[in-house]
């Protein structure tokens, strides 16, 4: 979950997967992927981010890891929350992998927290009912849903909302 400053605004960076990847074609995701042997989740997240977006992304500070969750395909996912050190005015410094990344975009924290920007879809899977978040207007290739939205909601609830709703008192 790459936090960044984009055009002066605290934001989170997302990618849209190409039609060439094995799973989740055309879906919004965070940079990342499978852990190689003898590699930690943090090392994998950094390596995959550079593979997907290029060295121009610059240094990434790891803030923490989130609670591990299973994807719909049964893969155990460890969210790694980081901060891209370089302020971005555009995506010019990035060189997205043509095999993996169709598009790069950001959403400001402000927009992600706007009332109405997040809705919920009730769905049934494996005999259970789930309330799944959806960020965006519900259409287009920048609609954030599925595991990405689930992880995003958890990160915003645990890291951002406490800061916004309980500012440090002087």
């Amino acid at each position: 979950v790459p936090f960044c400053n984009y055009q002066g605004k605290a934001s989170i960076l997302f990618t849209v997967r190409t039609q060439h990847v094995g799973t989740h074609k055309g879906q919004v995701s965070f940079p990342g992927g499978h852990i190689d042997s003898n590699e930690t989740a943090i090392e994998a997240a950094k390596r995959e981010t550079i593979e997907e977006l290029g060295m121009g992304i610059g240094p990434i500070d790891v803030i923490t890891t989130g609670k591990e969750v299973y994807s719909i395909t049964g893969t155990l996912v460890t969210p790694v929350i980081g901060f891209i050190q370089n302020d971005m005015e555009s995506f010019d410094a990035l060189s997205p992998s043509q095999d993996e990344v169709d598009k790069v975009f950001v959403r400001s924290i402000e927009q992600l927290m706007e009332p109405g920007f997040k809705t919920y879809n009730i769905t049934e899977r494996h005999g259970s009912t789930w309330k799944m978040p959806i960020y965006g207007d519900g259409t287009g290739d920048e609609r954030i849903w599925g595991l990405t939205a689930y992880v995003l909601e958890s990160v915003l609830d645990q890291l951002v909302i406490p800061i916004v709703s309980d500012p440090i008192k002087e």
Side-chain angles (χ1 to χ4, degrees):
V1 184
F3 282 79
C4 63
N5 284 320
Y6 183 78
Q7 297 181 350
K9 292 185 179 181
S11 301
I12 297 178
L13 183 139
F14 299 89
T15 63
V16 177
R17 295 169 57 84
T18 67
Q19 297 299 319
H20 310 293
V21 292
T23 58
H24 312 295
K25 298 175 187 318
Q27 294 181 11
V28 171
S29 66
F30 297 117
H34 291 279
I35 297 173
D36 288 343
S37 60
N38 299 321
E39 187 177 54
T40 68
I42 290 170
E43 291 166 339
K46 286 183 169 186
R47 174 185 51 77
E48 287 280 348
T49 299
I50 291 168
E51 285 177 10
E52 292 180 22
L53 300 175
M55 293 296 292
I57 195 76
I60 301 168
D61 291 328
V62 173
I63 299 168
T64 190
T65 57
K67 180 181 175 186
E68 293 180 327
V69 294
Y70 281 97
S71 72
I72 196 165
T73 61
T75 302
L76 183 62
V77 176
T78 304
V80 176
I81 298 102
F83 179 73
I84 298 167
Q85 289 181 15
N86 294 343
D87 287 354
M88 290 189 276
E89 288 299 317
S90 70
F91 301 123
D92 291 346
L94 305 181
S95 50
S97 165
Q98 293 181 350
D99 292 332
E100 297 186 57
V101 178
D102 191 44
K103 183 178 188 177
V104 178
F105 71 97
V106 296
R107 288 290 170 262
S108 70
I109 301 299
E110 181 180 12
Q111 184 179 30
L112 291 167
M113 303 297 289
E114 280 178 12
F117 192 71
K118 177 177 70 172
T119 58
Y120 288 93
N121 183 37
I122 306 300
T123 186
E124 286 192 35
R125 291 196 194 253
H126 311 294
S128 297
T129 302
W130 299 87
K131 182 179 175 183
M132 296 301 293
I134 300 171
Y135 291 83
D137 64 6
T139 62
D141 64 355
E142 294 180 0
R143 180 178 68 124
I144 304 163
W145 61 281
L147 182 62
T148 304
Y150 181 76
V151 169
L152 174 63
E153 180 181 57
S154 176
V155 169
L156 292 175
D157 286 351
Q158 292 176 22
L159 295 179
V160 176
I161 289 176
I163 294 169
V164 172
S165 58
D166 189 23
I168 299 172
K169 297 176 184 175
E170 293 184 21

